[in-house]
Amino acid sequence: QGGRFRYQLPDAGAICYMRYEAAINSTAFAEKMRTEKSVLVVPGDHFGMDSFLRLGTGNPQDELLEALRRIREAFDEVS
């Protein structure tokens, strides 16, 4: 993704925080993904960490890959 995202895989559990490079507030971006892409993520500014998204990674692999594809598509639209 050309450096648009940074993340560290969790040592345990199914939650990953992803830092992104785009000029959009994390709440606005999470709302865009919910309404336009049918993908639920938690905006980082709920935790005082704007420009981050909290992703759950516990879904089956095919669902996770489709959600990541949709997230990439949404980033393409705002970048």
Side-chain angles (χ1 to χ4, degrees):
Q1 288 296 306
R4 291 195 292 179
F5 312 108
R6 289 185 302 239
Y7 63 92
Q8 180 174 342
L9 292 174
D11 292 331
I15 301 292
C16 178
Y17 284 92
M18 176 185 76
R19 181 170 176 78
Y20 64 87
E21 301 293 332
I24 186 170
N25 168 268
S26 61
T27 294
F29 191 64
E31 182 64 11
K32 174 183 178 57
M33 284 193 284
R34 184 185 70 80
T35 60
E36 297 177 20
K37 305 298 179 189
S38 296
V39 173
L40 296 176
V41 297
V42 180
D45 60 359
H46 284 194
F47 308 101
M49 300 166 40
D50 200 12
S51 297
F52 279 84
L53 298 173
R54 189 177 86 172
L55 309 175
T57 59
N59 289 39
Q61 183 178 12
D62 61 328
E63 291 177 11
L64 181 58
L65 291 174
E66 176 60 21
L68 291 172
R69 186 194 67 75
R70 293 179 188 189
I71 291 171
R72 181 187 67 220
E73 188 177 82
F75 272 108
D76 288 345
E77 294 170 6
V78 299
S79 295

